[in-house]
Amino acid sequence: MSQQKEWPLWEVFIRSKQGLDHKHVGSLHAADAEMAIQNARDVYTRRMEGVSIWVVESKHIHASNPDEAEAFFDPANDKVYRHPTFYEVPAEIKNM
Amino acid sequence: METIVEKSLEEQFEAKIANEIRIEPKDWMPEQYRKTLIRQISQHAHSEIVGMLPEGNWITRAPSLKRKAILLSKVQDEAGHGLYLYSAAETLGASRDQMIADLHSGKAKYSSIFNYPTLSWADIGAIGWLVDGAAIMNQVPLCRTSYGPYARAMVRVCKEESFHQRQGFEIMMTLCNGAPAQKKMAQEAFNRWWWPTLMMFGPKDDESPNTEQSMRWKIKRFTNDELRQRFVDMMVPQAEFLGLTVPDPDLKWNEAKNGYDFGEVNWEEFWNVVKGNGPCNKDRIQTRVKAHEEGAWVREAALAHAQKRSQREAANQAK
Ligand SMILES: [Fe+2]
Ligand SMILES: [Fe+2]
Ligand SMILES: [Fe+2]
């Protein structure tokens, strides 16, 4: 059997309930998107874990490089002033 | 200004392990860590898949519609567990086709427990209660294993396992409260499954060469013997509640260690089944291979259909 016969790999994202984001839950193999969604229902939502499913072929996912994570996320490291706790608010001031 | 310390990749990896930071698929990892995980996760996946067979053959013979629906659901869950785990192994670069091929050729192992036959309906109760019980004991610590995708798959699995154990216990309880013949069925099934279940925790610590490294890498959190002891301590009171006799003359409460002493597992039998000579090894693999081969045309047809459809779509868009 040749390797090309393997069904493509899909990443599965599930919205657990209305109002929440879709979240990555795992992957599965399927011949096409329609089958991937049906398989995702059977594999990942047997106990009402979802109200909506996204699938995307794994080969279309682009990821940041973990080896460069330190440098890549560095710009946010020294910007404490982006957080509200950086600012001193006088005790007399309410509701801020 | 901080000095940027150039740590070697290996040191960074060790530091993550020490600080309980999960390793994720694209992170650098030692080749041996990757290999150990692929072996363990694929073996675990195979166990879930082969594990469907001894129970699956009772679905049509379940004693009521309710029991049939429950058993069907449980077996379906085991298929799901296999799929979560194959998908975790694939994040390490293992190919699904290769893993399946290794299972079918006998190169890859799966839990020996599934090489024992299910002779009566009581075996289905004993499997849920004991085998899934042991699986939970093994799997709960794996929810904290150092490799992220494996840990997340195990969280999912563990959520589903406790129904498996409870439905098994309920079957046993029903039989134990039934006619003497039913009680006898339950006891006989218990006798058949008790020792093989204790073997599920693997060889004794001093004969388990991989344990030490796996503990250092925090893939494993407890040794085989530790888990086996916990299991015995948990199960004996449950057996007593059911009025079943543990088939071990050496079983005795040990006040000093606050646990049970129990007899020696028959390790000769254990290794014999691992080597492929258990009562059902050949049958299980044959059944798997047959299902795989007979399903080949479906897999091929689905792929051909998908290709035809995407070509047609592309042609329509070009118009
Ligand atoms: Fe399972
Ligand atoms: Fe399992
Ligand atoms: Fe289970």
Side-chain angles (χ1 to χ4, degrees), chain B residues 112-288:
Chain B
S112 281
I113 192 76
F114 303 116
N115 290 317
Y116 289 85
T118 39
L119 304 178
S120 80
W121 172 251
D123 290 286
I124 300 306
I127 288 183
W129 175 43
L130 298 171
V131 176
D132 288 83
I136 292 172
M137 197 53 94
N138 266 328
Q139 289 170 168
V140 167
L142 287 174
C143 295
R144 295 188 296 122
T145 196
S146 57
Y147 186 58
Y150 190 23
R152 293 191 286 273
M154 292 322 298
V155 168
R156 211 172 282 285
V157 166
C158 285
K159 274 189 197 155
E160 301 181 348
E161 286 294 358
S162 86
F163 134 62
H164 298 178
Q165 195 187 20
R166 286 183 184 198
Q167 63 86 37
F169 185 78
E170 194 189 74
I171 292 173
M172 293 305 269
M173 201 160 57
T174 306
L175 290 169
C176 288
N177 292 333
Q182 289 172 307
K183 177 89 188 264
K184 186 163 167 265
M185 259 173 81
Q187 180 67 54
E188 284 169 357
F190 186 40
N191 295 347
R192 280 193 285 277
W193 291 92
W194 175 252
W195 289 105
T197 304
L198 293 193
M199 296 177 197
M200 282 175 71
F201 297 96
K204 293 212 282 192
D205 290 350
D206 47 18
E207 278 159 41
S208 174
N210 301 323
T211 293
E212 206 191 307
Q213 181 59 269
S214 287
M215 297 274 287
R216 239 181 300 133
W217 278 331
K218 297 184 182 166
I219 296 174
K220 281 179 88 153
R221 299 278 179 168
F222 299 98
T223 71
N224 298 350
D225 286 334
E226 282 167 350
L227 292 169
R228 191 165 14 245
Q229 178 70 51
R230 282 197 198 185
F231 180 75
V232 171
D233 293 343
M234 180 180 82
M235 296 313 275
V236 171
Q238 295 183 14
E240 279 168 1
F241 177 88
L242 291 171
L244 295 174
T245 309
V246 181
D248 178 359
D250 298 321
L251 186 85
K252 204 169 83 224
W253 177 253
N254 180 334
E255 193 64 52
K257 75 170 186 186
N258 196 28
Y260 286 91
D261 290 331
F262 54 97
E264 187 73 12
V265 169
N266 182 345
W267 294 112
E268 204 184 310
E269 175 183 325
F270 171 79
W271 289 114
N272 206 25
V273 182
V274 169
K275 281 181 197 129
N277 305 318
C280 303
N281 296 55
K282 288 194 183 69
D283 189 58
R284 298 291 184 240
I285 291 302
Q286 265 169 21
T287 307
R288 276 301 315 153

